[in-house]
Amino acid sequence: MKKFFFLFIFMISTMNIMAQSEIIFAGDNVCLRFKPNEGTKWTGSSAPHFFTGQKLSCVGTVGDYYKVAYNGDYYYVPKKYARPRGTSSNATKSTSFKYIIIAGDNVCFRTQPNENSKLVGPSYDHVNTGDVLQCVGQTSDYYKVYYDGSYYYIPKKYGRPRN
């Protein structure tokens, strides 16, 4: 009986964790699939299309696909077009800041708004498509972002502004 109770509690907590996770799209014009394969793409005029930075609730994975909830039903998104994200956010709630959604993989931070100030190497963080950063300003070619307690620059070609 104790094993059954433990198993029940474990299943409930696992379902709660899965229900709270999300995927964030890392590609533009992504279509949902009815089944976890490429041949079941939702097409036509009623098909929703998703773009970098948009999110959907994720309920699990099946092979190379995320199983997502959309409009009260379940669909599939190829993993190559999305990244898993939890629902908790450490972003500041201030309305004076905009956000930048990264549109490139392995993007390096810069200490100054120029290419020569790249932070590279295994000891430096990099950001990837779909990551969201707080934007606190901009120059002609760079966004100034706040990340992990410090300010850095990201080239504009790798970011998309969002409110």
Side-chain angles (χ1 to χ4, degrees):
M1 187 66 167
K2 287 182 182 179
K3 288 182 182 180
F4 177 74
F5 180 73
F6 175 76
L7 182 60
F8 177 75
I9 296 299
F10 176 75
M11 287 174 40
I12 294 297
S13 64
T14 302
M15 287 190 306
N16 188 31
I17 290 168
M18 290 303 288
Q20 292 180 4
S21 65
E22 296 176 322
I23 57 133
I24 187 166
F25 284 88
D28 288 336
N29 213 23
V30 178
C31 298
L32 299 176
R33 276 68 170 168
F34 293 106
K35 294 181 181 180
N37 62 59
E38 191 62 27
T40 60
K41 217 185 261 191
W42 185 354
T43 59
S45 61
S46 66
H49 292 82
F50 296 89
F51 296 87
T52 300
Q54 290 183 291
K55 297 178 184 179
L56 286 178
S57 294
C58 181
V59 296
T61 61
V62 178
D64 291 332
Y65 291 80
Y66 293 109
K67 185 175 183 179
V68 297
Y70 177 74
N71 280 352
D73 216 340
Y74 296 108
Y75 300 95
Y76 299 88
V77 174
K79 287 182 178 179
K80 65 183 176 182
Y81 299 126
R83 306 287 187 270
R85 295 290 185 262
T87 57
S88 62
S89 173
N90 295 329
T92 303
K93 304 249 182 206
S94 172
T95 58
S96 64
F97 292 108
K98 294 183 180 184
Y99 296 93
I100 299 303
I101 298 176
I102 300 301
D105 285 332
N106 209 26
V107 177
C108 300
F109 290 106
R110 276 84 166 157
T111 55
Q112 298 294 318
N114 62 59
E115 189 63 25
N116 295 330
S117 63
K118 242 189 225 188
L119 296 174
V120 295
S123 62
Y124 296 109
D125 287 334
H126 295 82
V127 289
N128 295 297
T129 299
D131 287 342
V132 178
L133 300 175
Q134 208 172 31
C135 180
V136 297
Q138 59 183 317
T139 67
S140 60
D141 296 318
Y142 288 83
Y143 292 111
K144 184 175 183 179
V145 298
Y146 183 76
Y147 177 78
D148 201 25
S150 297
Y151 295 96
Y152 300 101
Y153 294 88
I154 297 286
K156 284 187 174 179
K157 65 183 178 182
Y158 297 122
R160 294 187 180 163
R162 298 286 194 270
N163 286 328

